[in-house]
Amino acid sequence: MAEQKPKFVGKLEWPVTVQLGRGMEGAISNESTIGYVDGEKGWLVYRGYNIFDLAEHSTYEETCYLLLFGKLPTKKEYEDFYMKLVGYRAVPNKVIELMKGLPKEVHPMAALRTGVSLLGCFDPKADDVTVENDTEIAIKLIARTSTVAAAWARIRKGLEPVDPDPSLGHAANFLYMATGEKPDDFTARVMDICLILHADHGMNASTFTSMVINSSLSDLYSTVVGGIGSLKGPLHGGANERALAEVMTIKDEDDAVRYVKDAIVQKKKIMGFGHRVYKAYDPRAKVLGQYSQKVTQMKGMENLYKIAKKVEEEVIAAYGERGIFPNVDFYSGTIYYALGIDVPLFTPIFAVSRVAGWCARVLEYLPINRIFRPRAVYVGAMEQKYTPIDQR
Ligand SMILES: CC(C)(COP(=O)(O)OP(=O)(O)OC[C@H]1O[C@@H](n2cnc3c(N)ncnc32)[C@H](O)[C@@H]1OP(=O)(O)O)[C@@H](O)C(=O)NCCC(=O)NCCS
């Protein structure tokens, strides 16, 4: 059966009546024209464009333009934007020097968080919080988050960072800076698609974190640093590393059956599965699953894909009725691993892409900014009597 096409969603009448769950489930933070996720139908749309079309036809650079400016660029707009990104790739030397002082064993997301914070310290216009200036910073951040993440990929191994190569596209250049080797066209395209698929995803934890920080009219660097901090957790972006680590412990397809059974008996959450919004198959996982099959085959790692696929089948057989399917983090790890990327760099790659969504969303909100300020329900004691410290 042909897939249903996403349809227009109307504007809200504020205030909105919603049903809330813990973790702000069901709460609505704002209206947006940037991206749409329909968890029941398994739809993901950026600015009206279906993610399947973007993954097939677009590039990460074009997707960033689309997210930031709300339309697909003309050829000239694309070239100008592309060249601007290229021009912004290099980061101040001092940032790299300071990053070299970090302990090599810190998690790359901690190093990335620090590196992006340093970028802000070296930008004299960081605190000029206007749409115009923040748009320019957003483009810088999209270009430089990649450079900082790749620099740390080298520094943590005692290697010198590799300068960006202006002849390469964003995805290929990231791989080149991280590994020191220029990727072939197919590898570069796979990375490009991964970046497209991770660029935005509704009001997830890191995007909301970014929105909250920016809504106090803080600078865009602080906003992205906050986004990185939130993305780092294993219930969010950090799941891709954990998912791969778990799949790597499985010997073969029979062992995959055992692995899922054990997880079910132990009531253990299986990394890379389930989603707060998607109760249908995550469209990003659909695309990534196909590329995982291709890339693992190309790199002679078919077994990795077969095991992952078996885990998927078993989890869906057990939990599919409850709406638990693979999410974006399940197959991305198998792809990165097959491409020879170190596991601790998986979550930074997510950030290298998602910086576009964070920036687009806070820029959209800035002209109509209202500081975020939900309330907690107080359920603690009242009428306590204060006892001086020496009488307690
Ligand atoms: C993503 C995630 C945090 C969404 O969480 P949520 O909307 O808060 O859902 P909950 O954690 O409340 O889970 C709801 C139910 O589904 C189960 N469930 C959710 N994800 C599960 C998973 N990956 N494996 C097994 N069971 C899972 C929970 O155990 C819970 O069961 P219960 O009702 O019997 O207690 C959750 O699915 C998860 O932790 N997944 C693993 C981490 C991951 O892959 N994160 C990346 C997300 S892109």
Side-chain angles (χ1 to χ4, degrees):
M1 202 177 79
E3 295 213 24
Q4 272 182 291
K5 290 272 181 236
K7 294 193 185 72
F8 176 71
V9 192
K11 277 180 85 72
L12 286 180
E13 294 256 340
W14 295 92
V16 185
T17 305
V18 292
Q19 198 173 354
L20 291 177
R22 281 177 59 233
M24 292 182 78
E25 180 167 3
I28 291 170
S29 59
N30 63 309
E31 288 170 85
S32 176
T33 63
I34 288 176
Y36 175 59
V37 183
D38 187 322
E40 298 301 325
K41 300 195 173 72
W43 291 344
L44 172 60
V45 169
Y46 297 166
R47 298 283 195 184
Y49 294 90
N50 194 319
I51 196 66
F52 296 123
D53 289 339
L54 293 171
E56 194 175 339
H57 304 294
S58 190
T59 61
Y60 178 67
E61 289 90 330
E62 186 182 59
T63 298
C64 288
Y65 186 99
L66 175 68
L67 289 171
L68 288 176
F69 301 110
K71 67 176 196 86
L72 288 174
T74 61
K75 196 163 183 298
K76 166 91 172 68
E77 285 165 340
Y78 180 74
E79 284 165 4
D80 290 350
F81 183 71
Y82 183 99
M83 289 317 293
K84 201 171 227 190
L85 281 172
V86 170
Y88 277 147
R89 280 178 189 167
V91 305
N93 280 341
K94 201 83 187 132
V95 170
I96 300 294
E97 289 313 311
L98 286 163
M99 287 183 75
K100 284 180 181 169
L102 298 175
K104 302 269 179 291
E105 53 294 345
V106 298
H107 193 281
M109 283 297 273
L112 182 64
R113 191 186 62 212
T114 307
V116 171
S117 182
L118 288 168
L119 289 178
C121 297
F122 288 97
D123 186 339
K125 288 187 79 184
D127 288 319
D128 176 2
V129 183
T130 56
V131 172
E132 197 189 9
N133 188 54
D134 269 356
T135 303
E136 210 54 31
I137 294 180
I139 301 169
K140 267 189 218 168
L141 274 165
I142 291 168
R144 293 182 178 174
T145 302
S146 161
T147 311
V148 171
W152 186 253
R154 313 274 306 165
I155 297 169
R156 66 190 282 273
K157 289 174 149 179
L159 301 169
E160 263 309 299
V162 172
D163 287 337
D165 181 336
S167 73
L168 299 175
H170 192 78
N173 178 58
F174 170 72
L175 286 171
Y176 170 60
M177 292 189 298
T179 64
E181 282 170 34
K182 291 189 185 169
D184 59 68
D185 288 349
F186 178 70
T187 302
R189 181 61 188 147
V190 172
M191 180 52 65
D192 198 27
I193 291 169
C194 290
L195 294 181
I196 292 170
L197 294 174
H198 287 82
D200 185 67
H201 202 248
M203 204 43 63
N204 54 79
S206 60
T207 302
F208 186 55
T209 304
S210 302
M211 294 284 291
V212 172
I213 296 173
N214 218 68
S215 79
S216 73
L217 298 184
S218 188
D219 65 285
L220 197 55
Y221 292 95
S222 299
T223 295
V224 169
V225 167
I228 295 169
S230 169
L231 188 68
K232 180 172 179 282
L235 294 187
H236 193 7
N240 58 15
E241 294 174 33
R242 306 277 180 109
L244 194 267
E246 303 226 345
V247 169
M248 297 292 285
T249 65
I250 303 171
K251 288 198 300 287
D252 52 30
E253 288 167 271
D254 287 343
D255 199 28
V257 177
R258 188 261 330 144
Y259 163 80
V260 176
K261 266 203 188 119
D262 286 356
I264 293 169
V265 171
Q266 293 162 21
K267 295 193 185 323
K268 218 176 90 182
K269 273 193 176 169
I270 304 167
M271 288 292 131
F273 287 86
H275 200 275
R276 172 64 62 81
V277 180
Y278 287 123
K279 301 304 167 199
Y281 206 108
D282 182 332
R284 303 164 300 173
K286 262 189 202 167
V287 179
L288 291 170
Q290 289 162 11
Y291 277 95
S292 170
Q293 187 173 20
K294 284 184 198 163
V295 172
T296 51
Q297 203 168 30
M298 203 177 91
K299 305 281 178 185
M301 295 185 188
E302 294 90 343
N303 208 34
L304 180 63
Y305 175 76
K306 279 188 193 151
I307 290 170
K309 188 72 192 162
K310 192 69 190 169
V311 169
E312 174 191 327
E313 285 165 11
E314 293 297 306
V315 174
I316 292 179
Y319 289 142
E321 271 186 9
R322 294 171 57 191
I324 297 175
F325 293 96
N327 59 48
V328 70
D329 293 316
F330 187 60
Y331 283 111
S332 60
T334 60
I335 294 175
Y336 302 149
Y337 184 78
L339 292 182
I341 298 169
D342 295 342
V343 176
L345 298 177
F346 292 2
T347 318
I349 296 174
F350 198 151
V352 162
S353 165
R354 184 57 60 83
V355 62
W358 295 330
C359 290
R361 285 187 181 258
V362 301
L363 280 166
E364 179 187 46
Y365 191 65
L366 190 55
I368 50 153
N369 186 63
R370 187 163 192 233
I371 192 166
F372 282 100
R373 202 341 183 154
R375 295 189 335 183
V377 178
Y378 180 70
V379 293
M382 295 290 247
E383 298 178 14
Q384 299 273 50
K385 273 228 156 30
Y386 185 86
T387 322
I389 196 159
D390 54 356
Q391 291 169 34
R392 284 176 221 156

